Amino acid sequence: MSKPGSSDHPPHRCLAEFLRGLREQQSTGTLCDVVLKGCEESAVGIPCHRNVLSVHSDYFRAVFTQDWKDSSQRIFPLHNIDSSTLNELVNYAYTLELNLNDDNVESILIAAQFLQMTAAARLCWDYVEKHVDLSNCLAVHALASNYHNPGLADTVLGFIYLYFLQVAKSHEFLQVDAQQLIAVLTSDSVDVVSEDEVWEAVLRWLDHDCPARLTHVPTLLPMVRVACLSEPCRQEYALILRSVPAGMPQSTVELVGGTTQIAKPRHSVGAQEVILCLGGTCEEPFVEEEARVDVFCPSIPAVWRLKDLPDLVECCSAVLLDPGCIMINSMNCIGTVQRNSRYTGLRDEWRAIEGILPEHREPLRESPLRQAGALASLNGRVYAAGGFDPFAYGGVKALASVDAYDPRSDSWSAVAALPIGLMGLAMVACKGRLYVFGGEDTEDVSNAVFAYDPAANTWTRLADMPTARSGCRGCVAPNGLIYVTGT
């Protein structure tokens, strides 16, 4: 029995009913005491309740309690907000929901900022941050800079540094103003192989609207590190100097000419360490496998999304074979994806490794297919250990076999097997050895730890972990300690 004065309805249900009632009153104009009107001449008025608007907007609270006097028409025009945007914000005031998309998020954000609707603006910023990509990063940086979101502006600027070569080739790059371009070029972290690439980007920007943009030469050209340019690019640089507007002070021309130029090469952010997060499962709207790949660069710090994996994967492992290749072990498929010298652009190509082909379900050698196994790279070879064969007869059985892949010969070979069969194990390479942690042997979850010596081709059992773990992951910290996480 409920206590006196209590309700059998949970709070969220009561709130939903309350909001639904308010929305019904607003849609029918019941008890509404103000009509908002967008900037169009043909705009249809939107009936609202002043108290509801005042709850969500500091702007309306100030207007309705101080300045605005009720008139017979009760019309309140908003000359800088269109009707569609105004409708979305009114809908939010009554439902706490915003229908955001790439086409309307900027206009809604700007209007929410103007109306001081803090919560609505926060939802817009969250949407913008989650949808940063090559096609909009310059626009997002400008938006965050102009509307006082320095955290997002810095994060997106880091994204632009990493993807500078791709961004510089886009049509959007040609539209940026000089100040935004200078903000990018001042950094040591612009990800380029040589300063020539920076110079080519500057030339492309200048040529897009020349001679109008020649007025920016005095501030723009000092951003190019002339001492790091090749001789042909230095000659082009000199030609640009001769094209500066007549009447520019000689002292300015000499400054642009390089007498105080920075000689230090840029430090590529892309060459720094990054963390890749691949696949997994998401629980909204229902549990399903993921194909997305996210990369985190601790030095910025920033997180952004790379090209999706070609298949949905629940559990996968990834290792770096060399500076040009990432190897993925997903379920019963093993393949690689090529990349350039930095993490700034994964190519759209996957290559099957000899032994297991993604388009087939049968191996080319006697080693079984591996699901829930582990990968690690050591001394130029990739080791695949444990797991289970999803197509084996007689039910699931944990594997003890370990295979080594040599990328130079594109071939697999068997090495010493694990002392026991394990699936869902973690494996890492550290100081010349492989270490295996946890897993399960078909029946029980293990806390065992094994070390592999490639010179002796033997496994040795080490001290057990305090906690038995399966489906765990391991990593090596800069101080040489190995951390194992997960259950």
Side-chain angles (χ1 to χ4, degrees), residues 75-293:
I75 303 295
F76 190 90
L78 289 158
H79 300 295
N80 57 345
I81 302 177
D82 64 84
S83 297
S84 176
T85 300
L86 193 56
N87 265 305
E88 287 294 344
L89 289 174
V90 169
N91 179 70
Y92 172 77
Y94 284 89
T95 67
L96 301 182
E97 296 178 358
L98 266 180
N99 298 312
L100 298 174
N101 56 56
D102 293 347
D103 295 326
N104 69 12
V105 65
E106 182 174 352
S107 61
I108 293 176
L109 170 61
I110 294 172
Q113 297 266 94
F114 172 76
L115 297 175
Q116 300 176 54
M117 298 180 68
T118 305
R122 188 182 303 117
L123 291 177
C124 294
W125 284 124
D126 290 344
Y127 179 94
V128 169
E129 186 170 5
K130 291 176 182 178
H131 290 80
V132 175
D133 58 30
L134 288 173
S135 67
N136 64 19
C137 57
L138 289 168
V140 171
H141 177 255
L143 186 69
S145 300
N146 294 334
Y147 289 91
H148 315 295
N149 190 334
L152 179 58
D154 289 344
T155 296
V156 178
L157 198 57
F159 180 95
I160 295 170
Y161 295 156
L162 283 160
Y163 285 89
F164 179 77
L165 295 181
Q166 291 94 321
V167 171
K169 294 176 182 177
S170 68
H171 178 72
E172 288 73 18
F173 177 78
L174 301 177
Q175 313 303 320
V176 301
D177 60 41
Q179 292 307 311
Q180 188 177 11
L181 180 56
I182 289 171
V184 174
L185 297 184
T186 53
S187 175
D188 289 344
S189 298
V190 174
D191 191 8
V192 291
V193 175
S194 73
E195 191 68 14
D196 288 8
E197 293 171 326
V198 174
W199 173 243
E200 290 168 3
V202 170
L203 279 183
R204 185 167 179 261
W205 185 86
L206 289 171
D207 290 342
H208 182 70
D209 190 15
C210 188
R213 288 183 173 177
L214 286 178
T215 57
H216 298 295
V217 166
T219 54
L220 186 59
L221 261 62
M223 302 300 104
V224 180
R225 303 182 180 185
V226 182
C228 301
L229 292 176
S230 65
E231 186 56 34
C233 289
R234 288 191 188 188
Q235 294 176 5
E236 288 182 318
Y237 190 96
L239 288 175
I240 293 295
L241 282 180
R242 298 192 193 105
S243 304
V244 294
M248 180 183 293
Q250 183 61 31
S251 59
T252 301
V253 175
E254 291 174 356
L255 174 63
V256 175
T259 56
T260 60
Q261 289 291 299
I262 300 173
K264 182 178 67 173
R266 299 179 193 271
H267 178 63
S268 170
V269 176
Q272 299 180 20
E273 291 184 348
V274 296
I275 300 170
L276 290 173
C277 301
L278 307 102
T281 58
C282 65
E283 297 185 357
E284 295 293 343
F286 51 85
V287 176
E288 62 179 8
E289 296 171 344
E290 281 278 8
R292 68 177 294 159
V293 180

Side-chain angles (χ1 to χ4, degrees), residues 59-70 76:
Y59 172 87
F60 282 128
R61 183 183 301 115
V63 168
F64 294 150
T65 57
Q66 298 174 19
D67 301 328
W68 190 65
K69 304 300 181 182
D70 194 8
F76 190 90

